[in-house]
């Protein structure tokens, strides 16, 4: 009876899986709005060439370059799969629960899997600097780390409202040598305009995206990067689910239920897409569940073309969306607060292959389950990952009521060691 399922380094998958050619119908392509300049042309000017190519690719398996394999190993891959034996016992459930340990990431989340790939390609294409925006801060930290390992400079525009209170995470990015600016900043035209109106402007992800884009556009040595939503980002993340499948093979198990949290869709996609391959190609029966917040239940929105950002600088994507200028209440699981869901996962949802649950925005229900997890398993999930943990526990309790021996697989996308203030506030200790 194994508790920690370890994949030897030589078993690490050597290709990313691109699900696009296997989808039940063609993926609607990004498009320009009817009016205004071409966003498609603009985006192709500021993105990494190889990533743009991968974004449009119909190739099913894409070789992971040796240099990126080395970076993955440096980052501690493969990561463990754990059987949640103590939690099962406490819940007294007949279900068998397994969780993937993305929280062992050096920066605290799964986002390093694509940050490393993007930084590697940026360096190879001769760029000297990467720019980006960050909301909760996990993406900014992952990119700061990856840029440093690939010998690149890194500029992060961080939504001021979050920048102001997450001092430790800011220091973490600065330890890696990144330049971190509160957004709106005085470094860009967009930022300066907004600061004129209000010098303490709290900012938004949309504004920060505009700043990152403007910065990269104005410097031929800089390139802009994105941490979720897009096809190539989900493809880089498939390393998670491919490892997990091999780990299940090692112990002769196979999941009935696959769960994770969804903001833009990169950790859920990375974890679940290799299992969707089995559903689509091998007719496996798997129940996929996305855990979300009622503050941003994007999978319950409308399936239509919408902008990916507030300022309408990006092309339009066919996705489940709440509207690109929707107002959302703040939550501690800030990484889940995004108006749209990745086009790939949106299509799967549209085809009835992805279930979703949204939890109340006060987060007490979710964080109590996270506390149960930390007390039984010992690992502190990131506030976003707490949603995945909560959903897995709820499913295990359902198995108990129905006396079902299901195998539940869930991803713990990050750790919460820099997010304790959030837990404290909600759980009031
Ligand atoms: C960013 C983030 C998420 C949400 O983003 P996805 O693109 O949906 O994965 C979830 N968990 C953690 C730890 C994150 O940093």
């Amino acid at each position: 009876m194994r508790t920690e399922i370890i994949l030897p380094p030589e078993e690490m998958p050597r290709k990313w899986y691109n699900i696009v050619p296997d989808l039940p119908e063609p993926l609607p392509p990004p498009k320009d709005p009817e009016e205004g300049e071409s966003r498609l042309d603009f985006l192709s000017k500021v993105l990494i060439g190889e990533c743009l190519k991968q974004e449009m690719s119909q190739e099913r398996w894409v070789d992971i370059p040796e240099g990126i394999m080395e970076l993955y190993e440096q980052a501690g891959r493969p990561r463990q799969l754990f059987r949640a034996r103590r939690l099962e016992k406490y819940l007294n459930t007949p279900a068998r629960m397994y969780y993937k340990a993305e929280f062992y990431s050096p920066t605290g989340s799964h986002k390093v899997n694509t940050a490393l790939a993007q930084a590697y390609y940026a360096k190879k294409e001769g760029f000297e600097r990467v720019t980006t925006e960050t909301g909760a801060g996990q993406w900014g930290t992952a990119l700061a780390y990856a840029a440093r390992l690939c010998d690149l400079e890194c500029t992060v525009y961080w939504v001021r409202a979050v920048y102001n209170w997450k001092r430790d995470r800011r220091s973490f990015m600065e330890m890696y040598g990144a330049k971190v600016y509160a957004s709106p900043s005085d470094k860009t035209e967009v930022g300066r305009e907004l600061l004129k109106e209000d010098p303490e402007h709290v900012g938004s992800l949309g504004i920060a995206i505009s700043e990152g884009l403007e910065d990269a556009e104005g410097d031929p040595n800089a390139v802009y990067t994105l941490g979720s939503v897009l096809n190539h980002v989900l493809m880089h993340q498939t390393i998670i689910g491919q490892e997990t499948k091999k780990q299940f093979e090692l112990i002769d198990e196979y999941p009935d239920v696959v769960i994770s949290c969804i903001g833009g869709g990169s950790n859920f996609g990375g974890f679940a897409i290799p299992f969707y391959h089995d559903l689509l190609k091998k007719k496996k029966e798997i129940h996929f569940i996305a855990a979300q917040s009622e503050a941003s239940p994007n999978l319950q929105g409308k399936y239509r073309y919408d902008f990916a950002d507030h300022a309408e600088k990006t092309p339009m994507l066919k996705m489940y969306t709440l509207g690109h200028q929707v107002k959302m209440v703040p939550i501690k699981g800030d990484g889940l607060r995004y108006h749209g869901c990745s086009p790939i996962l949106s299509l799967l949802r549209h085809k009835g292959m992805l279930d979703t649950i949204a939890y109340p925005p006060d987060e007490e229900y979710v964080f109590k389950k996270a506390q149960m997890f930390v007390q039984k398993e010992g690992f502190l999930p990131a506030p976003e990952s707490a949603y995945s943990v909560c959903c897995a526990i709820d499913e295990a309790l359902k198995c108990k009521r129905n006396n079902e021996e299901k195998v539940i697989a869930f991803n713990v996308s990050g750790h919460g060691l820099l997010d304790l203030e959030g837990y404290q506030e909600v759980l009031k200790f």
Side-chain angles (χ1 to χ4, degrees):
M1 288 236 295
R2 302 275 299 280
T3 297
E4 185 193 31
I5 298 112
I6 294 175
L7 195 67
E10 60 277 13
E11 287 291 313
M12 202 168 22
R14 306 194 70 84
K15 292 174 197 291
W16 290 304
Y17 172 48
N18 177 16
I19 194 177
V20 171
D22 293 333
L23 286 171
E25 55 187 54
L27 190 66
K31 69 170 198 187
D32 273 324
E34 270 159 31
E35 282 165 21
E37 60 216 80
S38 170
R39 273 72 163 179
L40 289 167
D41 291 348
F42 171 69
L43 204 64
S44 64
K45 269 185 252 156
V46 292
L47 283 187
I48 298 162
E50 185 60 31
C51 292
L52 199 65
K53 206 177 106 202
Q54 291 176 352
E55 188 62 23
M56 310 297 174
S57 172
Q58 290 287 331
E59 202 184 329
R60 185 170 288 116
W61 297 100
V62 175
D63 283 326
I64 306 177
E66 198 49 44
I68 297 177
M69 289 297 289
E70 280 167 23
L71 289 164
Y72 278 173
E73 199 173 339
Q74 172 76 52
R77 302 212 76 88
R79 302 210 190 291
Q80 294 95 315
L81 180 72
F82 286 98
R83 170 99 183 257
R85 227 177 265 289
R86 294 163 57 83
L87 182 62
E88 286 169 21
K89 196 166 165 205
Y90 177 75
L91 297 172
N92 191 20
T93 173
R96 297 194 292 285
M97 306 172 77
Y98 294 89
Y99 56 97
K100 183 69 168 168
E102 287 303 309
F103 51 77
Y104 271 138
S105 148
T107 65
S109 82
H110 70 288
K111 291 197 172 75
V112 294
N113 301 329
T114 185
L116 286 168
Q118 295 191 44
Y120 173 88
Y121 289 130
K123 182 72 185 178
K124 203 163 155 233
E125 290 173 23
F127 293 105
E128 290 166 13
R129 186 167 67 95
V130 285
T131 73
T132 201
E133 76 291 331
T134 196
Q138 288 272 22
W139 169 241
T141 322
L143 190 69
Y145 156 84
R148 186 49 60 216
L149 262 60
C150 293
D151 204 14
L152 291 162
E153 297 306 316
C154 176
T155 309
V156 179
Y157 293 90
W158 196 0
V159 179
R160 177 171 280 105
V162 192
Y163 171 97
N164 279 343
W165 72 272
K166 288 198 176 176
R167 290 188 164 271
D168 288 347
R169 193 162 275 287
R170 195 204 308 173
S171 308
F172 199 3
M173 292 184 223
E174 286 165 348
M175 280 291 278
Y176 289 122
K179 287 262 182 332
V180 188
Y181 300 118
S183 167
S185 75
D186 62 3
K187 305 294 164 200
T188 67
E189 197 89 14
V190 181
R192 283 189 293 271
E193 278 304 309
L194 291 163
L195 286 180
K196 247 188 258 165
E197 288 164 28
D198 177 2
E200 287 305 312
H201 199 300
V202 292
S204 73
L205 206 52
I207 295 167
I209 292 176
S210 308
E211 289 204 283
L213 283 168
E214 185 186 321
D215 183 347
E217 194 187 10
D219 178 357
N221 294 318
V223 72
Y224 176 74
T225 63
L226 273 147
S228 187
V229 182
L230 298 183
N231 303 347
H232 71 273
V233 175
L234 270 66
M235 185 184 83
H236 297 156
Q237 295 290 359
T238 59
I239 187 85
I240 306 174
Q242 290 188 71
E243 280 181 14
T244 308
K245 268 172 68 170
K246 287 186 167 206
Q247 285 163 313
F248 275 121
E249 268 170 39
L250 286 178
I251 53 166
D252 207 15
E253 281 269 40
Y254 197 88
D256 301 296
V257 190
V258 169
I259 293 168
S260 200
C261 58
I262 290 194
S266 74
N267 92 87
F268 182 93
F271 186 57
I273 281 173
F275 291 101
Y276 273 110
H277 175 266
D278 292 357
L279 176 127
L280 295 164
K281 292 279 159 194
K282 301 182 184 164
K283 308 277 176 235
K284 282 268 189 195
E285 278 185 33
I286 310 167
H287 184 198
F288 293 93
I289 315 175
Q292 301 207 292
S293 166
E294 280 170 4
S296 55
N298 56 42
L299 285 171
Q300 294 174 26
K302 288 215 165 65
Y303 188 48
R304 65 173 174 91
Y305 272 100
D306 193 12
F307 291 102
D309 69 317
H310 188 275
E312 307 184 353
K313 282 209 159 214
T314 65
M316 300 180 85
L317 305 175
K318 182 87 181 268
M319 59 184 176
Y320 276 92
T321 173
L322 300 167
H324 66 285
Q325 293 181 338
V326 72
K327 291 243 182 314
M328 293 178 260
V329 298
I331 52 170
K332 302 299 171 193
D334 197 59
L336 303 183
R337 267 171 92 245
Y338 183 67
H339 68 273
C341 185
S342 104
I344 288 174
L345 297 177
S346 290
L347 179 65
L348 291 167
R349 163 100 175 132
H350 185 61
K351 293 271 121 194
M353 297 173 181
L354 172 54
D355 258 353
T356 174
I357 178 151
Y359 293 108
D362 69 19
E363 297 181 294
E364 195 184 338
Y365 180 81
V366 172
F367 284 7
K368 278 199 165 139
K369 296 276 166 57
Q371 190 171 23
M372 189 187 288
F373 182 80
V374 81
Q375 292 189 1
K376 293 300 148 196
E377 297 295 314
F379 297 111
L380 178 70
E384 292 81 9
S385 318
Y387 286 73
S388 172
V389 168
C390 179
C391 181
I393 291 176
D394 284 354
E395 282 302 303
L397 290 172
K398 219 179 274 169
C399 289
K400 180 179 171 180
R401 285 196 297 276
N402 303 335
N403 200 20
E404 286 176 309
E405 240 185 74
K406 286 187 183 167
V407 174
I408 299 171
F410 59 110
N411 187 34
V412 182
S413 51
H415 72 61
L417 294 174
L418 294 176
D419 304 283
L420 281 159
E421 249 182 74
Y423 279 113
Q424 241 166 35
E425 219 174 282
V426 172
L427 296 175
K428 302 183 176 64
F429 49 82

